[in-house]
Amino acid sequence: MPVSNEDLVAMYRWLTLTRHFEERVCDLQFQRGIPELQHASIGQEAVGVGACYGLRPDDVVTPSLRTRAAYLVKGISPERQMAAMYGKATGAGRGKETSHHMGDRELGVVAGSGVVGGSIPVAVGVALAFKLQDTDRVSVVFFGDGASNRGDFHEALNLAAVFRLPVVCVCENNQYAQSMAIAQYLPIANVADRAAGYGMPGIVVDGNDVVAVHDAVQEAVARARAGDGPSLVECKTYRWRGHSERDAGEVYRAREEVEEWKKLCPVEKLRERLISSGVISQQQVEEIEAEVSQIVDRAVEFAESSPFPDPEEALLHAYATPVGGLR
Amino acid sequence: MPVSNEDLVAMYRWLTLTRHFEERVCDLQFQRGIPELQHASIGQEAVGVGACYGLRPDDVVTPSLRTRAAYLVKGISPERQMAAMYGKATGAGRGKETSHHMGDRELGVVAGSGVVGGSIPVAVGVALAFKLQDTDRVSVVFFGDGASNRGDFHEALNLAAVFRLPVVCVCENNQYAQSMAIAQYLPIANVADRAAGYGMPGIVVDGNDVVAVHDAVQEAVARARAGDGPSLVECKTYRWRGHSERDAGEVYRAREEVEEWKKLCPVEKLRERLISSGVISQQQVEEIEAEVSQIVDRAVEFAESSPFPDPEEALLHAYATPVGGLR
Amino acid sequence: MTEMRVRVAIREALREEMERDDSVFLLGEDIGSFGGAFGVTKGLLEDFGPDRVIEPPLSESGFIGSAVGAAMMGMRPIAEIMFVDFITVAMDQIVNNAAKMSYMYDGEISVPMVIRAPCGAGVRMGVHHSQSFEAWFAHVPGLKVVMPSTPADAKGLLKTSVRDNDPVIFLEHKGNYHTKGPVPDGEHLVPLGKADVKREGRDVTVVALGIMVGKALAAAEQLQEEGISVEVIDPRSLQPLDEESLVASAAKTGRVVIAHEAVGPYGPGAEIAAVIGNGAFGYLDRPIERVAMPFVPVPFSPVLEDHVIPKEEHIIVAVKRVLGEA
Amino acid sequence: MTEMRVRVAIREALREEMERDDSVFLLGEDIGSFGGAFGVTKGLLEDFGPDRVIEPPLSESGFIGSAVGAAMMGMRPIAEIMFVDFITVAMDQIVNNAAKMSYMYDGEISVPMVIRAPCGAGVRMGVHHSQSFEAWFAHVPGLKVVMPSTPADAKGLLKTSVRDNDPVIFLEHKGNYHTKGPVPDGEHLVPLGKADVKREGRDVTVVALGIMVGKALAAAEQLQEEGISVEVIDPRSLQPLDEESLVASAAKTGRVVIAHEAVGPYGPGAEIAAVIGNGAFGYLDRPIERVAMPFVPVPFSPVLEDHVIPKEEHIIVAVKRVLGEA
Ligand SMILES: Cc1ncc(C[n+]2csc(CCOP(=O)(O)OP(=O)(O)O)c2C)c(N)n1
Ligand SMILES: Cc1ncc(C[n+]2csc(CCOP(=O)(O)OP(=O)(O)O)c2C)c(N)n1
Ligand SMILES: [Mg+2]
Ligand SMILES: [Mg+2]
């Protein structure tokens, strides 16, 4: 099913919102002393937007450490995410979790692991449940190029392939794992080439082209939903900022490289397409900018005006069934 | 370098010795109460023989759980291996280790892990040392088809590829992991196809053809020695007996299948070649049989007449540098 | 009551829970036609089919992780690790995913899964097939840790574990599978966090875990002949730990021996000793003694392995020591 | 003596040992131009080149396992795990390979490697970046476990660890990297297995691990003002553990508080309490108190995290409790 103009505009709005959200956090990180260390996804927004736009509400997403867009598109409000960054009671797990690993049971988001790659088997297990429950729900999991070197990637994809589970594995290949360049750890051209080792389709797409991502993932989702098993979709993109806001990202790569990639901005790319094809006007673009900027303003206001959790709450909910003194 | 007739005869002798050794252990397992549970390699002897024959004494081998031939060809005497099976002081680690995971520092054998796949990274580390030490020694590691599903396989092969380490990864594909048939866990045709995911050569050979194994491994060894990095060599073979002597191997596979594979016996295969090409006579065959049979007799005698270790030795050598009460 | 072995009691628990609740399924290598390395799951594939008895590829991290995901989606996986020694490859999934989810979601999600794992020494399989890691898991908030000793407890604790909403590490000593004992007929549930006095006594308390319970009872029997009255108490779960019952028994007898098969240092007995030392302070007549595996790996050779495994006689010596007789 | 931070002391130790011995090399993600997540290895790639400062792919099991193999072949790898929380993915390589080799070869081979891993809470990174697992490793025969608290100890213990022939788990508390202190000039080695009395006192012994040493000293300072004389003793290594010195201090003061950042149950303090409870039995006037993280994961939000981290004030309260004042 080709995307409609409305879809394109909607995706554009998500891209813009993600960009604004991330930029705002970067601006405020030190200025306001936001406790969560931001791992900005700026430059990579098209992956999460393209992959999650068009999912069913009952599909389940497991994010990577840099998948802000997925959280937004899956419906976790900017307010809640921002509050999570501030460690507020209105945030993730009432302050227990960071925004970039948060889960949401109702919205179908699995809390991510801080251990890179550790969430891939979990997401495959989500798909296993869907299969056992005889539903046609789909599990979508995001991870980085670095994560594709972890044993869990291998074990999880193999498991998914053997049981033909409804899972779409989306690799956000941003060319770096922290300070290490992909050539230091990937001895082949594409992460997607590893799919052949599990007999599943491995697709490479321009990760800065939200439509390309969307189409590839939707195709994979359709396969999964039809019972035809898992896929690996690799989205080639780039991390504009450092690994985190504590990393200027400058010791291990050339500024020129960053500049080159900035020319391939996923937000601009879609904007140009929309404008040149006459789908939206420059004015509409500005309206969207203004709108999302306000949304982010409100998110910051919400976060800042939210209360911190009661410290004593730290002692609760390590267990779902507290017995014998466990809480 | 093509194998000479002497090489062929020597390999035939190793095959026969391995077969006899293994058969004897199976015979004696319950009859004599041999404490080590045998995991017989019968039917797979060509893999270890072909891969280890022709290695330099300073090359290092890391066996799988079913690589009796590798131990023998690397020079661990049948006496010592048999004594290890009996848990004698003349065995592996003076009784601390079983015969099928034993190591030998002098002979260049790394003690295997009982955790399937766990030894692959260790063997890659051996190769890393060789590279850092600027030698042209080679590390050869054996593992099963089941092990190729472990994360350690993935992480180790990737590491080896990234650093172009001198390691040859030999997969003993015997079609089963314990009771599970390969179709239950390998969603592709060949384990060797996974090599592409690491950009290293992946070669499939008839694992019952000792010459084919030898040639493929020697080629890979030459590549490794020349600094051209790792290879994955998959040897297709079959486990004639159960997973261990406690498993009759009959619930999960058809007798016919076993019978079919027995027709492809690696020992017979080489014998026929040697006889039909006139390299050895039937009489020589019988002489070899008699000779290895005696070797195995002596190994059993040695094992049975060897003393058990002093029980107190159990308390020693958990540490290489005993300090502060540690021993 | 029906006499049965631990192996059968566990199988019954699995069967009953699978019958009771469709969301319960088994996940493990060789648990199907093969019946599991120790024969525990024999017959279950035939009875429940391959959607309830699932054999994943040899990839413990992958399948334990997938059990976490399935549990979060409303299933109740019971995963089997063939030997607890191999659980080392799945530690991250257990410690950082299974154990953390409830907290990360502030209680809004649960991970109702059980990991069954045979533990312990005595099978002549050497350093990689004989370990005991219960102390590790009991040190992880978010996990529950169960160690049954009798067929009745094995059945009742496992059924409770399956119904529990938290991840439970269920440790079955390999040497116990053939242990026979009476199991109550009909629905039989044993709560987590309740120690069980396996034998009442006055003079000394022996706190014994898993396979050591049987050895402690045998030791108590022998000591009785010498007029020494030994109380044997089995915590049954290490997390939660029934501190109150342990302290009460210790306060009553004033002398305590703790027996487990794991190595001593930083082992489960350390916590139990610390808890009792604190809770029964002033009631103890003698220092607490620990009986444990010496601080070495478990060697293969029978003479070596037999030398390191803690036995009845070690308990007897320790009891005499706390009585001031040795 | 030169004043320096722990971070620099560790870097000096690495540098000196690399200069001294060609077989020493570093292995870890982002330890090169980036200098490591905590800046410890800054400058070492430049000085020693990529054959001595090796950056493997993101695969901790793979590269820790490869360190084992390299160590068996005569190298002395120092591997870095970026946060000890991630060591869960490499447990098998550590526990079943590194720790077992010497025993499997009956002492004929050794695995001289060090695994450095930042541990502990306080960095606002939540459940997966804040844990303390020292008790796990100290429970594994074949491993040595070191936890420095001061710059001098960090340097001296690390140098000793590099020269040791056994695998050493070297745990650096993230909150300690910036701690300053004097470090002896020239060759400075601190033995494993020797506790250090960081402050002498008469009334109460505080056994403190890692980052808790500084907090214990601060608490002692405050308590001094109230006329309470606190002895602070730092085991420095948990394996080997200097039981004698701990018992001697406890016997002297008769009152013991144990402080660590790991969660309490089955934590390192359990073993220390058990050892002291046994060794100093009869000398103790009051039950041993433990100060530790409550039994929950470490939450992200600053107000929550600050609430669970054990602090000076908790030590003060515990000291008063063992003095019968609270
Ligand atoms: C197992 C593990 N090793 C190391 C880290 C530290 N770390 C956090 S993110 C990261 C890089 C991950 O790279 P990639 O998977 O490509 O994701 P990206 O950050 O590029 O989105 C590293 C090394 C970690 N969190 N977990
Ligand atoms: C991590 C791990 N999981 C399970 C086992 C139990 N086990 C021992 S051998 C084996 C089968 C291994 O299959 P494969 O790698 O093909 O080797 P083969 O036995 O066929 O030679 C299994 C499941 C183990 N030892 N380690
Ligand atoms: Mg990346
Ligand atoms: Mg096999």
Side-chain angles (χ1 to χ4, degrees), chain B residues 94 96 109 111 118 125 133 152 155 314 317 319-321, chain D residues 61-62 66 73 93 97 102-103 105-106 142-144 166:
Chain B
R94 295 185 60 76
K96 285 179 177 155
V109 179
Q133 290 160 351
D152 275 348
E155 297 195 359
H317 301 310
Y319 291 88
T321 313
Chain D
S61 183
S66 80
M73 293 297 124
Q93 292 299 333
N97 283 330
S102 170
Y103 197 72
Y105 283 79
D106 200 37
L143 299 181
K144 291 171 178 166
D166 290 303

PDB file of all heavy atoms in Angstrom, chain B residues 94 96 109 111 118 125 133 152 155 314 317 319-321, chain D residues 61-62 66 73 93 97 102-103 105-106 142-144 166:
ATOM      1  N   ARG B  94      45.760 -34.542  36.391  1.00  0.00           N
ATOM      2  CA  ARG B  94      45.858 -35.506  37.507  1.00  0.00           C
ATOM      3  C   ARG B  94      44.478 -35.881  38.061  1.00  0.00           C
ATOM      4  O   ARG B  94      44.300 -35.980  39.265  1.00  0.00           O
ATOM      5  CB  ARG B  94      46.753 -34.962  38.621  1.00  0.00           C
ATOM      6  CG  ARG B  94      48.210 -34.802  38.186  1.00  0.00           C
ATOM      7  CD  ARG B  94      49.128 -34.364  39.330  1.00  0.00           C
ATOM      8  NE  ARG B  94      49.154 -35.297  40.446  1.00  0.00           N
ATOM      9  CZ  ARG B  94      49.803 -36.458  40.445  1.00  0.00           C
ATOM     10  NH1 ARG B  94      50.497 -36.836  39.384  1.00  0.00           N
ATOM     11  NH2 ARG B  94      49.765 -37.242  41.495  1.00  0.00           N
ATOM     12  N   LYS B  96      41.618 -34.158  37.521  1.00  0.00           N
ATOM     13  CA  LYS B  96      40.656 -33.067  37.699  1.00  0.00           C
ATOM     14  C   LYS B  96      39.728 -32.895  36.507  1.00  0.00           C
ATOM     15  O   LYS B  96      38.626 -32.403  36.639  1.00  0.00           O
ATOM     16  CB  LYS B  96      41.411 -31.773  37.996  1.00  0.00           C
ATOM     17  CG  LYS B  96      41.912 -31.830  39.432  1.00  0.00           C
ATOM     18  CD  LYS B  96      42.690 -30.647  39.873  1.00  0.00           C
ATOM     19  CE  LYS B  96      43.028 -30.860  41.344  1.00  0.00           C
ATOM     20  NZ  LYS B  96      44.222 -30.133  41.752  1.00  0.00           N
ATOM     21  N   VAL B 109      47.270 -27.943  23.366  1.00  0.00           N
ATOM     22  CA  VAL B 109      45.841 -28.241  23.353  1.00  0.00           C
ATOM     23  C   VAL B 109      45.178 -27.419  24.456  1.00  0.00           C
ATOM     24  O   VAL B 109      45.597 -27.473  25.617  1.00  0.00           O
ATOM     25  CB  VAL B 109      45.570 -29.738  23.589  1.00  0.00           C
ATOM     26  CG1 VAL B 109      44.071 -30.008  23.598  1.00  0.00           C
ATOM     27  CG2 VAL B 109      46.266 -30.573  22.523  1.00  0.00           C
ATOM     28  N   ALA B 111      42.234 -26.638  26.940  1.00  0.00           N
ATOM     29  CA  ALA B 111      41.154 -27.377  27.597  1.00  0.00           C
ATOM     30  C   ALA B 111      39.817 -26.817  27.130  1.00  0.00           C
ATOM     31  O   ALA B 111      39.603 -25.600  27.113  1.00  0.00           O
ATOM     32  CB  ALA B 111      41.281 -27.255  29.113  1.00  0.00           C
ATOM     33  N   GLY B 118      31.543 -22.210  24.212  1.00  0.00           N
ATOM     34  CA  GLY B 118      32.323 -21.310  25.063  1.00  0.00           C
ATOM     35  C   GLY B 118      33.801 -21.258  24.730  1.00  0.00           C
ATOM     36  O   GLY B 118      34.488 -20.289  25.084  1.00  0.00           O
ATOM     37  N   GLY B 125      41.256 -15.970  20.962  1.00  0.00           N
ATOM     38  CA  GLY B 125      42.248 -15.279  21.786  1.00  0.00           C
ATOM     39  C   GLY B 125      43.633 -15.881  21.651  1.00  0.00           C
ATOM     40  O   GLY B 125      44.644 -15.164  21.692  1.00  0.00           O
ATOM     41  N   GLN B 133      52.186 -11.603  19.116  1.00  0.00           N
ATOM     42  CA  GLN B 133      53.553 -12.085  19.320  1.00  0.00           C
ATOM     43  C   GLN B 133      54.315 -12.175  18.007  1.00  0.00           C
ATOM     44  O   GLN B 133      55.467 -12.595  17.981  1.00  0.00           O
ATOM     45  CB  GLN B 133      53.506 -13.451  20.027  1.00  0.00           C
ATOM     46  CG  GLN B 133      53.046 -13.341  21.472  1.00  0.00           C
ATOM     47  CD  GLN B 133      52.532 -14.667  22.046  1.00  0.00           C
ATOM     48  OE1 GLN B 133      52.356 -15.649  21.316  1.00  0.00           O
ATOM     49  NE2 GLN B 133      52.268 -14.689  23.348  1.00  0.00           N
ATOM     50  N   ASP B 152      28.472 -16.930  21.333  1.00  0.00           N
ATOM     51  CA  ASP B 152      29.935 -16.940  21.331  1.00  0.00           C
ATOM     52  C   ASP B 152      30.518 -17.266  19.959  1.00  0.00           C
ATOM     53  O   ASP B 152      31.606 -16.802  19.621  1.00  0.00           O
ATOM     54  CB  ASP B 152      30.459 -17.956  22.356  1.00  0.00           C
ATOM     55  CG  ASP B 152      30.555 -17.356  23.743  1.00  0.00           C
ATOM     56  OD1 ASP B 152      30.431 -16.121  23.875  1.00  0.00           O
ATOM     57  OD2 ASP B 152      30.771 -18.112  24.702  1.00  0.00           O
ATOM     58  N   GLU B 155      30.231 -13.873  18.118  1.00  0.00           N
ATOM     59  CA  GLU B 155      31.153 -12.847  18.621  1.00  0.00           C
ATOM     60  C   GLU B 155      32.600 -13.218  18.300  1.00  0.00           C
ATOM     61  O   GLU B 155      33.416 -12.358  17.947  1.00  0.00           O
ATOM     62  CB  GLU B 155      30.961 -12.658  20.134  1.00  0.00           C
ATOM     63  CG  GLU B 155      29.565 -12.159  20.484  1.00  0.00           C
ATOM     64  CD  GLU B 155      29.435 -11.616  21.903  1.00  0.00           C
ATOM     65  OE1 GLU B 155      30.423 -11.626  22.667  1.00  0.00           O
ATOM     66  OE2 GLU B 155      28.319 -11.176  22.258  1.00  0.00           O
ATOM     67  N   ALA B 314      42.567 -32.602  45.488  1.00  0.00           N
ATOM     68  CA  ALA B 314      41.379 -31.877  45.039  1.00  0.00           C
ATOM     69  C   ALA B 314      41.420 -30.431  45.520  1.00  0.00           C
ATOM     70  O   ALA B 314      40.830 -29.545  44.914  1.00  0.00           O
ATOM     71  CB  ALA B 314      40.107 -32.554  45.545  1.00  0.00           C
ATOM     72  N   HIS B 317      45.436 -25.991  43.417  1.00  0.00           N
ATOM     73  CA  HIS B 317      45.540 -25.461  42.057  1.00  0.00           C
ATOM     74  C   HIS B 317      44.284 -24.815  41.487  1.00  0.00           C
ATOM     75  O   HIS B 317      44.174 -24.673  40.275  1.00  0.00           O
ATOM     76  CB  HIS B 317      46.071 -26.521  41.088  1.00  0.00           C
ATOM     77  CG  HIS B 317      47.415 -27.040  41.476  1.00  0.00           C
ATOM     78  ND1 HIS B 317      48.470 -26.206  41.785  1.00  0.00           N
ATOM     79  CD2 HIS B 317      47.890 -28.303  41.654  1.00  0.00           C
ATOM     80  CE1 HIS B 317      49.518 -26.933  42.107  1.00  0.00           C
ATOM     81  NE2 HIS B 317      49.200 -28.209  42.052  1.00  0.00           N
ATOM     82  N   TYR B 319      44.079 -21.922  42.051  1.00  0.00           N
ATOM     83  CA  TYR B 319      44.816 -20.702  41.734  1.00  0.00           C
ATOM     84  C   TYR B 319      46.235 -21.041  41.291  1.00  0.00           C
ATOM     85  O   TYR B 319      46.843 -21.983  41.801  1.00  0.00           O
ATOM     86  CB  TYR B 319      44.877 -19.777  42.957  1.00  0.00           C
ATOM     87  CG  TYR B 319      43.521 -19.205  43.285  1.00  0.00           C
ATOM     88  CD1 TYR B 319      42.640 -19.892  44.115  1.00  0.00           C
ATOM     89  CD2 TYR B 319      43.098 -17.998  42.719  1.00  0.00           C
ATOM     90  CE1 TYR B 319      41.375 -19.391  44.389  1.00  0.00           C
ATOM     91  CE2 TYR B 319      41.839 -17.491  42.990  1.00  0.00           C
ATOM     92  CZ  TYR B 319      40.979 -18.190  43.823  1.00  0.00           C
ATOM     93  OH  TYR B 319      39.730 -17.690  44.075  1.00  0.00           O
ATOM     94  N   ALA B 320      46.731 -20.248  40.383  1.00  0.00           N
ATOM     95  CA  ALA B 320      48.116 -20.392  39.955  1.00  0.00           C
ATOM     96  C   ALA B 320      49.047 -19.700  40.943  1.00  0.00           C
ATOM     97  O   ALA B 320      50.180 -20.127  41.148  1.00  0.00           O
ATOM     98  CB  ALA B 320      48.286 -19.804  38.557  1.00  0.00           C
ATOM     99  N   THR B 321      48.583 -18.605  41.517  1.00  0.00           N
ATOM    100  CA  THR B 321      49.367 -17.878  42.519  1.00  0.00           C
ATOM    101  C   THR B 321      48.576 -17.900  43.820  1.00  0.00           C
ATOM    102  O   THR B 321      47.739 -17.036  44.070  1.00  0.00           O
ATOM    103  CB  THR B 321      49.569 -16.398  42.108  1.00  0.00           C
ATOM    104  OG1 THR B 321      49.975 -16.337  40.743  1.00  0.00           O
ATOM    105  CG2 THR B 321      50.636 -15.740  42.973  1.00  0.00           C
TER     106      THR B 321
ATOM    107  N   SER D  61      31.423 -10.988  25.607  1.00  0.00           N
ATOM    108  CA  SER D  61      31.721 -12.397  25.816  1.00  0.00           C
ATOM    109  C   SER D  61      32.876 -12.796  24.898  1.00  0.00           C
ATOM    110  O   SER D  61      33.819 -13.458  25.320  1.00  0.00           O
ATOM    111  CB  SER D  61      30.482 -13.257  25.542  1.00  0.00           C
ATOM    112  OG  SER D  61      30.742 -14.606  25.799  1.00  0.00           O
ATOM    113  N   GLY D  62      32.774 -12.360  23.668  1.00  0.00           N
ATOM    114  CA  GLY D  62      33.827 -12.662  22.701  1.00  0.00           C
ATOM    115  C   GLY D  62      35.179 -12.134  23.119  1.00  0.00           C
ATOM    116  O   GLY D  62      36.181 -12.844  23.096  1.00  0.00           O
ATOM    117  N   SER D  66      38.440 -14.071  24.477  1.00  0.00           N
ATOM    118  CA  SER D  66      39.693 -14.002  23.739  1.00  0.00           C
ATOM    119  C   SER D  66      40.833 -13.572  24.658  1.00  0.00           C
ATOM    120  O   SER D  66      41.982 -13.974  24.465  1.00  0.00           O
ATOM    121  CB  SER D  66      39.565 -13.088  22.515  1.00  0.00           C
ATOM    122  OG  SER D  66      39.671 -11.739  22.882  1.00  0.00           O
ATOM    123  N   MET D  73      48.340 -18.076  26.349  1.00  0.00           N
ATOM    124  CA  MET D  73      49.484 -18.125  25.438  1.00  0.00           C
ATOM    125  C   MET D  73      50.579 -17.142  25.850  1.00  0.00           C
ATOM    126  O   MET D  73      51.430 -16.773  25.045  1.00  0.00           O
ATOM    127  CB  MET D  73      49.031 -17.822  24.007  1.00  0.00           C
ATOM    128  CG  MET D  73      48.127 -18.883  23.421  1.00  0.00           C
ATOM    129  SD  MET D  73      48.939 -20.517  23.256  1.00  0.00           S
ATOM    130  CE  MET D  73      47.786 -21.537  24.199  1.00  0.00           C
ATOM    131  N   GLN D  93      32.458 -16.806  30.217  1.00  0.00           N
ATOM    132  CA  GLN D  93      33.898 -16.770  29.929  1.00  0.00           C
ATOM    133  C   GLN D  93      34.697 -16.580  31.209  1.00  0.00           C
ATOM    134  O   GLN D  93      35.787 -17.137  31.371  1.00  0.00           O
ATOM    135  CB  GLN D  93      34.211 -15.657  28.920  1.00  0.00           C
ATOM    136  CG  GLN D  93      33.654 -15.925  27.534  1.00  0.00           C
ATOM    137  CD  GLN D  93      34.217 -17.201  26.912  1.00  0.00           C
ATOM    138  OE1 GLN D  93      35.318 -17.632  27.229  1.00  0.00           O
ATOM    139  NE2 GLN D  93      33.445 -17.825  26.042  1.00  0.00           N
ATOM    140  N   ASN D  97      35.636 -20.355  31.987  1.00  0.00           N
ATOM    141  CA  ASN D  97      36.938 -20.460  31.328  1.00  0.00           C
ATOM    142  C   ASN D  97      38.049 -19.843  32.187  1.00  0.00           C
ATOM    143  O   ASN D  97      38.891 -20.557  32.715  1.00  0.00           O
ATOM    144  CB  ASN D  97      36.901 -19.859  29.922  1.00  0.00           C
ATOM    145  CG  ASN D  97      36.206 -20.796  28.931  1.00  0.00           C
ATOM    146  OD1 ASN D  97      36.249 -22.019  29.082  1.00  0.00           O
ATOM    147  ND2 ASN D  97      35.552 -20.250  27.937  1.00  0.00           N
ATOM    148  N   SER D 102      43.299 -23.024  35.466  1.00  0.00           N
ATOM    149  CA  SER D 102      44.400 -23.482  36.313  1.00  0.00           C
ATOM    150  C   SER D 102      44.051 -24.841  36.907  1.00  0.00           C
ATOM    151  O   SER D 102      44.865 -25.776  36.887  1.00  0.00           O
ATOM    152  CB  SER D 102      44.670 -22.469  37.422  1.00  0.00           C
ATOM    153  OG  SER D 102      45.571 -23.013  38.366  1.00  0.00           O
ATOM    154  N   TYR D 103      42.855 -24.961  37.389  1.00  0.00           N
ATOM    155  CA  TYR D 103      42.433 -26.220  38.028  1.00  0.00           C
ATOM    156  C   TYR D 103      42.352 -27.361  37.010  1.00  0.00           C
ATOM    157  O   TYR D 103      42.810 -28.465  37.271  1.00  0.00           O
ATOM    158  CB  TYR D 103      41.079 -25.994  38.693  1.00  0.00           C
ATOM    159  CG  TYR D 103      40.706 -27.040  39.720  1.00  0.00           C
ATOM    160  CD1 TYR D 103      41.352 -27.099  40.948  1.00  0.00           C
ATOM    161  CD2 TYR D 103      39.688 -27.959  39.467  1.00  0.00           C
ATOM    162  CE1 TYR D 103      40.998 -28.054  41.907  1.00  0.00           C
ATOM    163  CE2 TYR D 103      39.325 -28.910  40.423  1.00  0.00           C
ATOM    164  CZ  TYR D 103      39.985 -28.949  41.640  1.00  0.00           C
ATOM    165  OH  TYR D 103      39.630 -29.885  42.579  1.00  0.00           O
ATOM    166  N   TYR D 105      43.996 -27.800  34.376  1.00  0.00           N
ATOM    167  CA  TYR D 105      45.357 -28.219  34.012  1.00  0.00           C
ATOM    168  C   TYR D 105      46.157 -28.594  35.266  1.00  0.00           C
ATOM    169  O   TYR D 105      47.367 -28.765  35.175  1.00  0.00           O
ATOM    170  CB  TYR D 105      46.089 -27.083  33.305  1.00  0.00           C
ATOM    171  CG  TYR D 105      45.728 -26.827  31.860  1.00  0.00           C
ATOM    172  CD1 TYR D 105      44.582 -26.123  31.510  1.00  0.00           C
ATOM    173  CD2 TYR D 105      46.573 -27.243  30.823  1.00  0.00           C
ATOM    174  CE1 TYR D 105      44.282 -25.847  30.187  1.00  0.00           C
ATOM    175  CE2 TYR D 105      46.271 -26.969  29.494  1.00  0.00           C
ATOM    176  CZ  TYR D 105      45.127 -26.275  29.178  1.00  0.00           C
ATOM    177  OH  TYR D 105      44.834 -25.992  27.862  1.00  0.00           O
ATOM    178  N   ASP D 106      45.504 -28.670  36.386  1.00  0.00           N
ATOM    179  CA  ASP D 106      46.177 -28.956  37.650  1.00  0.00           C
ATOM    180  C   ASP D 106      47.392 -28.048  37.856  1.00  0.00           C
ATOM    181  O   ASP D 106      48.474 -28.502  38.242  1.00  0.00           O
ATOM    182  CB  ASP D 106      46.603 -30.422  37.721  1.00  0.00           C
ATOM    183  CG  ASP D 106      46.854 -30.870  39.167  1.00  0.00           C
ATOM    184  OD1 ASP D 106      46.110 -30.425  40.064  1.00  0.00           O
ATOM    185  OD2 ASP D 106      47.795 -31.641  39.399  1.00  0.00           O
ATOM    186  N   GLY D 142      38.975 -19.588  41.869  1.00  0.00           N
ATOM    187  CA  GLY D 142      39.766 -19.332  40.675  1.00  0.00           C
ATOM    188  C   GLY D 142      39.848 -17.858  40.345  1.00  0.00           C
ATOM    189  O   GLY D 142      40.712 -17.443  39.572  1.00  0.00           O
ATOM    190  N   LEU D 143      38.961 -17.059  40.907  1.00  0.00           N
ATOM    191  CA  LEU D 143      38.999 -15.618  40.657  1.00  0.00           C
ATOM    192  C   LEU D 143      39.539 -14.892  41.881  1.00  0.00           C
ATOM    193  O   LEU D 143      39.311 -15.305  43.014  1.00  0.00           O
ATOM    194  CB  LEU D 143      37.598 -15.072  40.364  1.00  0.00           C
ATOM    195  CG  LEU D 143      36.870 -15.624  39.151  1.00  0.00           C
ATOM    196  CD1 LEU D 143      35.505 -14.947  39.006  1.00  0.00           C
ATOM    197  CD2 LEU D 143      37.693 -15.415  37.877  1.00  0.00           C
ATOM    198  N   LYS D 144      40.216 -13.800  41.630  1.00  0.00           N
ATOM    199  CA  LYS D 144      40.555 -12.866  42.688  1.00  0.00           C
ATOM    200  C   LYS D 144      39.723 -11.607  42.463  1.00  0.00           C
ATOM    201  O   LYS D 144      39.384 -11.288  41.326  1.00  0.00           O
ATOM    202  CB  LYS D 144      42.057 -12.580  42.671  1.00  0.00           C
ATOM    203  CG  LYS D 144      42.851 -13.823  43.108  1.00  0.00           C
ATOM    204  CD  LYS D 144      44.344 -13.717  42.923  1.00  0.00           C
ATOM    205  CE  LYS D 144      45.013 -15.003  43.435  1.00  0.00           C
ATOM    206  NZ  LYS D 144      46.427 -15.113  42.987  1.00  0.00           N
ATOM    207  N   ASP D 166      46.687 -15.114  38.218  1.00  0.00           N
ATOM    208  CA  ASP D 166      45.301 -15.538  38.157  1.00  0.00           C
ATOM    209  C   ASP D 166      44.417 -14.420  37.605  1.00  0.00           C
ATOM    210  O   ASP D 166      44.786 -13.250  37.648  1.00  0.00           O
ATOM    211  CB  ASP D 166      44.821 -15.918  39.565  1.00  0.00           C
ATOM    212  CG  ASP D 166      45.485 -17.195  40.049  1.00  0.00           C
ATOM    213  OD1 ASP D 166      45.357 -18.215  39.355  1.00  0.00           O
ATOM    214  OD2 ASP D 166      46.154 -17.162  41.105  1.00  0.00           O
TER     215      ASP D 166
END
